[in-house]
Amino acid sequence: MLTIHRPLGGVRPAADHPGQERTDTGHAVVVDGRRLAAVGPYEELYAAYGDRARVREWDGLLPPGRYEPDAAALLGAAYWPDPREADALGTEPLTGAALDALDLTGARWGASARRGVQRLLARGTTVLAGPFTRPEVRNAVERSGIRWYEQAPDTAPPRTLAPSGAADFAVFAGESGDGPCLVTVLDGRLVYRGRV
């Protein structure tokens, strides 16, 4: 099924791409399965696809999504507490001595990584940098569907929204996209939706 994502703040078709980071107001993207079918002015896209597409409107800005260069440390060297542990451990990731005191099993590392990936998706993250040396962490990343690099690139990799490209993007609240993440989409699937 086709979906037109219409962000009221516009589309930013490139991220971490020097000289090409502009916002196209009035634009939208068309998702066809796992790929982008089109990117352009909403009225033109609606005329071409509207009779066979669902339209989702978002009160924000739609860029390719965020790149997380510190994902290896955030997922493999930090423990993301289970909500049931919040009274004892809090809700923020644990590192250092607090992490060492937990004496984690492989199963707990895997569960922590799954929660960590969910928190990163809630920030609009669509690309991670490894390496993920713990098998349980690597498994959680692979199963999530999020794109990732085996080794962190020296600079943030350019990401673009273009026809036939992967339908990976996020929408951030506000006209300039400086608010919280509203949605994160990977391979055309809504994998996070905020409560804003």
Side-chain angles (χ1 to χ4, degrees), residues 79 99 102-113 134 136-137:
Y79 178 72
L99 174 63
L102 294 178
D103 192 30
L104 297 176
T105 63
R108 284 185 78 189
W109 271 113
S112 168
R134 294 181 191 278
E136 300 85 4
V137 173

Side-chain angles (χ1 to χ4, degrees), residues 88-173:
L89 301 177
T91 58
E92 293 303 310
L94 303 175
T95 58
L99 174 63
D100 294 340
L102 294 178
D103 192 30
L104 297 176
T105 63
R108 284 185 78 189
W109 271 113
S112 168
R114 287 190 296 277
R115 289 188 294 273
V117 167
Q118 287 302 312
R119 295 279 283 279
L120 293 173
L121 292 172
R123 296 177 186 169
T125 304
T126 56
V127 182
L128 306 176
F132 302 107
T133 56
R134 294 181 191 278
E136 300 85 4
V137 173
R138 179 188 280 274
N139 187 43
V141 170
E142 288 174 345
R143 292 184 70 181
S144 74
I146 198 167
R147 303 209 189 286
W148 58 284
Y149 293 96
E150 184 66 41
Q151 296 292 326
D154 292 335
T155 59
R159 295 168 319 285
T160 59
L161 298 172
S164 78
D168 293 354
F169 55 87
V171 178
F172 297 94

Side-chain angles (χ1 to χ4, degrees), residues 25 46 60 112 159 190 194:
T25 56
Y46 188 77
S112 168
R159 295 168 319 285
L190 218 67

Side-chain angles (χ1 to χ4, degrees), residues 52-103:
R52 55 199 158 111
R54 170 178 49 186
V55 176
R56 290 185 178 261
E57 287 193 354
W58 307 108
D59 190 14
L61 176 72
L62 189 153
R66 292 187 172 148
Y67 164 64
E68 181 50 70
D70 298 321
L74 288 169
L75 300 175
Y79 178 72
W80 298 79
D82 185 294
R84 295 169 293 192
E85 301 171 310
D87 289 342
L89 301 177
T91 58
E92 293 303 310
L94 303 175
T95 58
L99 174 63
D100 294 340
L102 294 178
D103 192 30

